[in-house]
């Protein structure tokens, strides 16, 4: 081991000791002092009730499958629509002006509205037209609302990625005789998408959570199921259970997004 | 084979090319020299149709390629250009950089291209670098890959825009060697350069650009060794 490496190892051990020590102290304080609060027994009974958790957890997991499914079909739709809108906003020829305008208005409108409002308008509004089954399903229209909102965000992220590619790359591709389509597909987009991968990962995490908003228009997914259990047991613990289930998914995804971002920073020096 | 007639180009109020007349014969090597901002890059970009010109005609092989109604793509395929900053595609290996245009445009398969492109890499001393990414190559190697990439489309004329000015001095020679080889094979070339010594050695004709005009042109023995214009003399005394 070199002298420098030895020094660094020692510094790391010291940092670890301090970090571990202070963490343990804080947690010990929480564990010791919070139960001393006058309202704690009541809170414990209604939020951290082990028996209720045990009874409702399997049902919550079942309901969570629906969240996962809604996510699983919305995410690819968002990726495709977001990409198309981003490309549409980048079309230069005057003939495409209407498409460009449409894409711009679309991103402005859906980025400008609260997600929950769009879910209400589309999730209640369209089935309200009296469509026949299965077209009156809140799954479809609720998911569509999510897709519309998130595609607008994804489109904006991708567009910023496209803008970040220096125009000399485009010039180099065009100078070889490649068309605008090939230039976009083989030269600009691969670089742009890689640059914005971390930003898009953050949107993926946000989408995982916002799936729960669909509960307001009908689907019995985990959040709504937790509400059902809450009424049944007159206890809030099912919500805590639902929160745990979300965190099991979203924390690793968030860490992964951070990791990608960090890796990219390193690459760009 | 290439003839520019009264070509004008402005960026806003800034007149960058001001009545350029220039004729380049097949197999000829023409060097553009002149101060920074005199319009050398713009001239080359206009010939490659990367910039539209405002006025004038560019004849290429009997066709007016400055016609705004013309589809620039097939023309660009026949005119190669290499930039000062290489502009390789960083997400592709050297080989993929070179293959992209022939594959997409000429619809040739990787397998059928591999032999001919490997030969090009070979000739320019890069046969062991085909699988490397641009950031794993030195500047001189990157610039040679950029030249190979342009040559792979088998252009009829090559444009070089100060292709050695971003290179460390010891890497300049390897790139200039490539140009010597191309010249001896009869490639038609226009080159913007600050390498006056190289321009004198190799070019058939030198054009001195000043404020968007070709102030003086002729063989190196005239323009460099016996310039007629005071501004040419002033420029040369500054760069030598
Ligand atoms: N895309 C552009 N938009 C606006 N002005 C431009 C653009 N490209 C070039 N110019 C201007 O045109 C003039 C000529 O530029 P050009 O790059 O052709 O000069 P150059 O002779 O190649 O100079 P250098 O030796 O520095 O490369 C400069 O004044 C420059 O600022
Ligand atoms: Mg220049």
């Amino acid at each position: 081991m070199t002298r420098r490496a030895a020094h660094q190892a020692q510094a790391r051990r010291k940092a670890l000791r301090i970090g571990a020590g202070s963490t343990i102290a804080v947690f010990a304080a929480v564990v010791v002092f919070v139960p001393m609060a006058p309202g704690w027994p009541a809170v414990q009974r209604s939020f951290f009730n082990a028996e209720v958790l045990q009874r409702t957890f399997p049902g919550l997991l079942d309901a969570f499958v629906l969240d996962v499914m809604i996510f699983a079909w919305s995410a690819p739709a968002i990726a495709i629509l977001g990409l198309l809108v981003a490309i549409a906003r980048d079309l230069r020829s005057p003939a495409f002006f209407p498409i460009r305008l449409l894409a711009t208005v679309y991103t402005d409108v859906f980025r400008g509205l609260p997600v929950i409002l769009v879910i209400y308008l589309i999730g209640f509004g369209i089935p309200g037209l009296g469509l026949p089954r299965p077209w009156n399903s809140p799954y479809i229209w609720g998911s569509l609302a999510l897709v519309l909102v998130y595609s607008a965000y994804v489109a904006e992220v991708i567009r910023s990625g496209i803008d970040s590619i220096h125009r000399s790359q485009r010039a180099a591709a065009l100078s070889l005789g490649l068309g605008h389509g090939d230039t976009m597909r083989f030269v600009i987009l691969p670089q742009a998408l890689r640059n914005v991968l971390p930003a898009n990962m953050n949107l993926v995490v946000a989408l995982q959570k916002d799936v729960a908003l669909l509960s307001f228009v009908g689907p019995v997914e985990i959040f709504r199921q937790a509400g059902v259990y809450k009424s049944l047991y007159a206890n809030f613990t099912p919500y805590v259970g639902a929160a745990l289930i979300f965190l099991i998914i979203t924390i690793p995804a968030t860490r992964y997004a951070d990791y990608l971002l960090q890796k990219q920073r390193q690459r760009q020096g | 084979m290439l003839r520019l007639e009264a070509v004008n180009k402005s960026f806003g109020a800034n007149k960058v090319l001001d009545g350029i007349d220039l004729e380049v014969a097949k197999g000829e090597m023409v060097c553009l020299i002149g101060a920074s901002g005199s319009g050398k890059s713009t001239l080359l970009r206009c010939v490659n149709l990367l910039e539209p010109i405002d006025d004038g005609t560019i004849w290429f092989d009997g066709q007016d390629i400055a016609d705004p109604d013309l589809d620039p793509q097939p023309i660009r395929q026949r005119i190669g250009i290499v930039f000062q900053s290489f502009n390789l595609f960083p997400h592709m290996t050297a080989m993929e950089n070179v293959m992209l245009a022939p594959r997409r445009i000429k619809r040739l398969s990787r397998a059928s291209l591999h032999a001919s492109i490997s030969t090009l890499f070979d000739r320019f001393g890069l046969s062991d670098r085909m699988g490397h990414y641009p950031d794993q190559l030195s500047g001189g190697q990157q610039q040679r890959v950029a030249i190979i990439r342009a040559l792979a489309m088998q252009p009829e004329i090559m444009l070089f825009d100060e292709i050695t000015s971003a290179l460390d001095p010891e890497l300049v020679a390897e790139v200039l060697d490539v140009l010597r080889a191309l010249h001896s094979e009869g490639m038609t070339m226009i080159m913007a350069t600050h390498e006056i010594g190289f321009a004198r050695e190799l070019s058939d004709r030198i054009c001195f650009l000043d404020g968007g005009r070709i102030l003086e042109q002729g063989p190196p023995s005239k323009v460099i060794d016996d310039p007629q214009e005071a501004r040419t003399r002033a420029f040369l005394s500054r760069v030598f």
Side-chain angles (χ1 to χ4, degrees):
Chain A
M1 196 187 278
T2 64
R3 208 174 127 196
R4 186 178 160 72
H7 174 79
Q8 279 175 343
Q10 197 189 355
R12 250 196 320 272
R13 274 196 302 275
K14 187 173 167 197
L16 204 64
R17 266 201 312 277
I18 296 176
S22 59
T23 310
I24 290 169
V26 169
F27 272 96
V30 170
V31 170
V32 171
F33 289 113
V34 168
M36 286 163 73
W40 171 247
V43 169
Q44 189 183 22
R45 229 178 304 113
S46 54
F47 281 91
F48 301 102
N49 190 318
E51 195 197 327
V52 173
L53 185 66
Q54 208 177 6
R55 288 221 203 127
T56 56
F57 202 75
L60 290 173
L61 269 184
D62 275 352
F64 190 62
V65 171
L66 184 57
D67 291 77
V68 173
M69 275 167 56
I70 293 171
F71 173 82
W73 69 58
S74 301
I78 290 166
I80 293 168
L81 184 60
L83 184 60
L84 289 179
V85 171
I87 293 172
R89 290 196 66 174
D90 199 65
L91 294 173
R92 276 123 199 260
S93 151
F96 292 124
F97 180 74
I99 296 180
R100 209 164 57 226
L101 181 70
L102 198 70
T104 310
V105 170
Y106 165 78
T107 45
D108 285 356
V109 166
F110 282 97
R111 286 192 322 139
L113 289 173
V115 186
I116 187 65
L117 198 60
V118 178
I119 290 175
Y120 264 81
L121 287 176
I122 295 181
F124 285 131
I126 295 186
L129 295 173
L131 299 174
R133 286 171 68 93
W135 295 107
N136 57 0
S137 150
Y139 296 90
I140 297 181
W141 302 111
S143 306
L144 178 72
L146 277 183
V147 169
L148 287 175
V149 171
Y150 271 85
S151 297
Y153 283 101
V154 168
E156 200 53 24
V157 165
I158 294 179
R159 196 174 72 105
S160 75
I162 291 173
D163 283 351
S164 75
I165 305 303
H166 198 263
R167 58 195 189 89
S168 63
Q169 286 283 308
R170 197 186 287 265
L174 292 177
S175 78
L176 291 166
L178 290 166
H180 287 279
D182 276 352
T183 299
M184 195 46 134
R185 178 169 155 208
F186 293 102
V187 177
I188 309 292
L189 273 182
Q191 300 183 59
L193 291 179
R194 190 161 68 177
N195 287 353
V196 297
L197 188 60
N200 276 330
M201 273 303 294
N202 282 328
L203 287 176
V204 167
V205 174
L207 175 66
Q208 286 171 341
K209 294 178 297 179
D210 278 355
V211 166
L213 293 175
L214 290 199
S215 62
F216 290 111
V217 293
V220 183
E221 47 70 67
I222 186 168
F223 181 56
R224 196 164 171 113
Q225 184 64 57
V228 171
Y229 285 143
K230 180 210 73 179
S231 312
L232 197 64
Y233 293 93
N235 192 292
F236 287 101
T237 305
Y239 284 130
V240 175
L244 284 176
I245 292 174
F246 269 110
L247 289 178
I248 290 168
I249 299 290
T250 51
I251 288 185
T254 313
R255 301 307 338 150
Y256 186 59
D258 272 8
Y259 163 76
L260 288 178
L261 195 65
Q262 206 177 3
K263 217 172 70 172
Q264 187 174 35
R265 284 219 191 90
Q266 278 168 3
R267 207 184 53 217
Q268 288 168 350
Chain B
M1 104 173 284
L2 184 77
R3 194 165 83 240
L4 282 71
E5 285 174 6
V7 168
N8 287 308
K9 167 83 188 170
S10 300
F11 289 112
N14 182 8
K15 186 139 204 185
V16 180
L17 298 180
D18 186 3
I20 296 279
D21 293 305
L22 175 66
E23 185 158 2
V24 181
K26 200 168 167 55
E28 199 178 13
M29 162 123 179
V30 175
C31 278
L32 309 175
I33 61 171
S36 182
S38 57
K40 304 180 295 291
S41 299
T42 306
L43 177 57
L44 295 178
R45 293 171 63 86
C46 287
V47 172
N48 194 247
L49 308 183
L50 286 173
E51 296 282 357
I53 62 171
D54 301 335
D55 226 346
T57 320
I58 303 177
W59 296 101
F60 176 57
D61 202 18
Q63 186 184 15
D64 173 15
I65 60 171
D67 181 351
D69 293 328
L70 205 68
D71 177 11
Q73 236 180 288
I75 309 294
R76 291 195 191 117
Q77 291 161 20
R78 300 166 58 196
I79 303 178
I81 186 165
V82 182
F83 305 94
Q84 177 176 352
S85 50
F86 327 138
N87 300 356
L88 292 180
F89 308 133
H91 58 300
M92 297 181 189
T93 64
M95 189 53 143
E96 289 164 351
N97 262 277
V98 176
M99 273 191 178
L100 178 64
R103 269 183 53 217
R104 296 301 303 168
I105 295 164
K106 301 192 170 163
R107 299 278 161 193
L108 298 170
S109 71
R110 279 171 205 273
S112 67
L113 280 166
H114 200 274
S116 61
I117 292 180
S118 299
T119 316
L120 279 175
F121 274 98
D122 242 359
R123 259 186 54 202
F124 299 134
L126 289 171
S127 42
D128 55 341
R129 290 287 183 277
M130 295 190 294
H132 287 56
Y133 285 89
D135 63 4
Q136 300 169 321
L137 299 173
S138 75
Q141 290 169 340
Q142 288 187 56
Q143 194 56 293
R144 281 181 285 156
V145 173
I147 295 173
I148 295 173
R149 182 173 70 177
L151 287 175
M153 286 300 289
Q154 296 172 312
E156 294 154 51
I157 181 170
M158 286 286 286
L159 314 174
F160 298 100
D161 189 4
E162 293 192 36
I163 59 170
T164 56
S165 33
L167 297 179
D168 291 336
E170 70 269 23
L171 300 179
V172 170
E174 65 188 46
V175 172
L176 293 184
D177 280 343
V178 171
L179 298 184
R180 274 192 197 93
L182 288 177
H183 183 56
S184 67
E185 288 162 22
M187 174 61 82
T188 312
M189 302 193 262
I190 309 179
M191 173 178 184
T193 186
H194 286 303
E195 302 279 336
I196 304 294
F198 179 77
R200 169 155 63 184
E201 170 204 326
L202 213 63
S203 62
D204 301 304
R205 188 149 41 100
I206 291 185
C207 301
F208 173 67
L209 262 73
D210 184 73
R213 296 164 179 276
I214 297 180
L215 206 58
E216 185 165 2
Q217 63 174 308
S221 57
K222 295 279 292 259
V223 177
I224 292 185
D225 299 327
D226 183 23
Q228 301 303 302
E229 298 284 337
R231 299 189 68 108
T232 318
R233 277 198 293 275
F235 171 77
L236 288 171
S237 71
R238 254 181 295 128
V239 295
F240 263 129

